[in-house]
Amino acid sequence: MPAPKKSPRLHPDLAEVLLTEAQIRRRIKALARDIKAAYGDGEFTIISLINGAVMFTSDLMREIDNPVRLDCIRVSSYGAKTKSIGTPQIIHSLTLDIANRDVLLIDDILDTGKTLKLVTELIRKLKPASLRTCVLLDKKARREVPIEADFVGFDIPNKFVVGYGLDFAERYRNLPDIGVLKPEKQNAAAWATG
Ligand code: 5GP
Ligand code: MG
């Protein structure tokens, strides 16, 4: 007898899956083609905002055959919250010299825009030859700072999402799909007793 068709996985803490692993994979291939068209065959330096952009960066850069260098910047996170509060801070900055280099900055999600503004201002001070930005997700409805990314994977609604690198209180980064966290899982108290 043929094996029964597998129903799509839904993690018990998710209210819905917004983007499946297969959808993400397909979109990344198309993004890589757009990026390739912008840079030609030249070398560029990828700057990834960790931890959120780790999965996206590693999948995207494997679709790109240009010579690339990789560096990371760590920006302060939400902690166990679902809304950004105050101003993000740079916790760990670059180690590579990016003066006169073409730079591609990669983040998981563009939300209020504060993070991308902070980091692009820092990078511009280091005088790169060029700077482009790429985000997997864009929550346009939440923008507070007028900033857009040059390459966007998906526009998504104003919902708190986890999976594929995105966390809540450091959990769920390893989910292969991107989904909306159930409301009852969106408070720190839900994790307090472990
Ligand atoms: P922004 O500074 O644009 O408000 O926020 C960007 C950062 O906030 C992202 O790098 C990401 O870490 C976090 N963020 C924004 N929206 C979400 C979301 O829906 N889910 C998760 N897990 N993180 C988010
Ligand atoms: Mg982030």
Side-chain angles (χ1 to χ4, degrees):
M1 261 214 334
K5 216 172 158 226
K6 264 211 284 181
S7 57
R9 281 158 305 182
L10 181 62
H11 188 285
D13 294 357
L14 295 185
E16 60 175 311
V17 168
L18 220 54
L19 298 164
T20 65
E21 196 178 2
Q23 285 174 305
I24 297 167
R25 196 179 318 118
R26 269 199 304 276
R27 184 68 188 112
I28 285 178
K29 284 187 194 295
L31 271 179
R33 283 194 293 272
D34 293 346
I35 290 168
K36 178 88 186 162
Y39 287 97
D41 293 326
E43 179 181 280
F44 56 96
T45 302
I46 292 173
I47 300 178
S48 176
L49 297 191
I50 53 174
N51 293 330
V54 280
M55 306 253 177
F56 178 41
T57 303
S58 90
D59 284 344
L60 181 64
M61 66 188 289
R62 278 178 292 179
E63 294 293 331
I64 292 170
D65 58 5
N66 296 49
V68 294
R69 304 190 306 161
L70 174 67
D71 205 348
C72 298
I73 293 179
R74 181 184 293 276
V75 177
S76 56
S77 81
Y78 284 12
K81 297 185 183 64
T82 58
K83 295 270 181 327
S84 75
I85 35 149
T87 317
Q89 311 272 322
I90 305 229
I91 308 281
H92 192 277
S93 192
L94 294 171
T95 50
L96 292 181
D97 183 1
I98 56 161
N100 300 314
R101 302 287 190 149
D102 293 310
V103 170
L104 178 66
L105 174 64
I106 301 182
D107 201 6
D108 51 1
I109 181 165
L110 179 51
D111 188 33
T112 65
K114 289 179 194 169
T115 303
L116 212 59
K117 178 170 187 281
L118 175 79
V119 178
T120 53
E121 281 174 356
L122 169 99
I123 292 173
R124 286 212 174 87
K125 284 190 193 135
L126 301 171
K127 306 271 182 249
S130 68
L131 172 60
R132 292 183 178 92
T133 54
C134 175
V135 294
L136 179 63
L137 308 174
D138 189 353
K139 261 198 232 174
K140 286 205 162 53
R142 295 247 316 143
R143 203 76 90 250
E144 293 176 23
V145 178
I147 192 163
E148 299 301 330
D150 296 299
F151 306 98
V152 174
F154 301 92
D155 284 319
I156 62 161
N158 183 11
K159 294 178 175 178
F160 188 78
V161 292
V162 295
Y164 195 69
L166 292 126
D167 73 310
F168 175 73
E170 292 305 323
R171 272 72 163 215
Y172 308 112
R173 292 195 197 274
N174 57 331
L175 304 190
D177 306 316
I178 293 176
V180 179
L181 195 59
K182 283 181 178 168
E184 65 267 30
K185 295 288 173 187
Q186 292 189 16
N187 61 80
W191 298 105
T193 53

